[in-house]
Amino acid sequence: MSHTVLVQWTITPQIAPRPWLACNRCRTTRPFATSGKTRLNANGRRLDAWLIYRCSSCDSTWNRPIFERRHVSDIDQATLHALQNNDGGWIEKVAFDIDGLRRDAGRIEEFAEVRLQKTILKAAVEPAQHLEIALNLEMKTMLRTERLLSMELGLSRKRIAMLEQAGRISTAPSGTNALRRPVKDEMRVTIDLASEADRNAILSRAGP
């Protein structure tokens, strides 16, 4: 019988990354934030699409290319429908596409704020001794794994480091400094709590 509590944390970033761009009106570099609106232009059977960003200071705009001169037959219907209707969910995914944004702008500002949903996937046979956390990342975030564990489990970073040094925290996939890197989708964190006097409190904070 298992003495491991298995939980899933679904992580949703809250603030889209912002490009820093030269603003013609401000005459300096400013952060631009997504407006949540797209622009779609047609030239015959070819379409151009952009996500509109606005300067944080003067409200001037920057059009981030989504695609250019794309033949309408090469655009899937879901994408076309989202662009024609300014679909909020679809636009959010584009806004959080940090890799795509880096291709269009040099300096990017990222944020660590997230929303977290916790679900118990498997309860343990008492007494519970291990905690396994399955991380489900809806979009990329710069939030580091150790900071996430510290915030949600009430553990100091020093204590997390001590548990890691003792071999009582492991990650899958593993890697050098995995806890000090941003959270990855489908990552798993396992913590051996057998010797921790406050393990029940930690297990309680891990769940909903």
Side-chain angles (χ1 to χ4, degrees):
M1 294 187 290
S2 174
H3 293 273
T4 299
V5 174
L6 174 61
V7 299
Q8 177 176 277
W9 290 359
T10 300
I11 302 163
T12 307
Q14 294 298 285
I15 304 176
R18 301 192 304 180
W20 280 68
L21 304 165
C23 177
N24 292 331
R25 188 179 299 175
C26 294
R27 297 185 181 279
T28 188
T29 301
R30 298 287 192 191
F32 280 63
T34 176
S35 68
K37 301 292 183 181
T38 59
R39 179 183 171 191
L40 185 65
N41 282 356
N43 184 357
R45 297 290 291 173
R46 296 191 178 276
L47 301 178
D48 300 311
W50 301 271
L51 177 58
I52 302 171
Y53 285 71
R54 295 190 180 278
C55 174
S56 60
S57 296
C58 72
D59 212 34
S60 62
T61 61
W62 171 63
N63 293 336
R64 172 187 168 188
I66 298 173
F67 54 75
E68 295 178 305
R69 297 295 185 265
R70 182 79 61 82
H71 196 280
V72 66
S73 62
D74 295 331
I75 305 170
D76 66 83
Q77 289 302 306
T79 297
L80 190 58
H81 181 270
L83 286 165
Q84 291 171 331
N85 294 277
N86 274 305
D87 182 86
W90 187 90
I91 291 173
E92 184 179 48
K93 289 182 180 179
V94 175
F96 278 92
D97 177 13
I98 184 66
D99 295 329
L101 185 57
R102 283 198 180 101
R103 289 194 293 268
D104 299 316
R107 178 183 173 190
I108 306 297
E109 181 180 12
E110 298 180 71
F111 302 90
E113 287 78 3
V114 299
R115 182 177 72 249
L116 197 65
Q117 179 180 341
K118 300 176 181 179
T119 306
I120 296 178
L121 299 181
K122 185 176 67 174
V125 175
E126 295 293 340
Q129 296 181 350
H130 296 84
L131 170 63
E132 184 175 352
I133 306 168
L135 299 176
N136 176 27
L137 187 60
E138 295 194 341
M139 289 170 283
K140 285 187 177 181
T141 176
M142 67 172 294
L143 179 64
R144 291 184 300 178
T145 306
E146 65 172 0
R147 182 179 176 190
L148 175 67
L149 297 175
S150 178
M151 291 189 306
E152 298 302 325
L153 300 180
L155 301 173
S156 69
R157 295 188 189 182
K158 181 179 179 180
R159 187 174 176 189
I160 291 173
M162 291 175 63
L163 289 169
E164 182 185 21
Q165 291 171 4
R168 292 166 59 195
I169 293 184
S170 61
T171 62
S174 59
T176 304
N177 295 323
L179 293 179
R180 282 163 287 285
R181 297 182 183 276
V183 177
K184 293 184 178 180
D185 187 33
E186 298 185 351
M187 183 179 186
R188 291 214 173 198
V189 179
T190 302
I191 308 176
D192 180 354
L193 298 171
S195 301
E196 304 302 309
D198 59 345
R199 64 175 176 272
N200 288 334
I202 295 172
L203 290 167
S204 177
R205 286 190 288 266

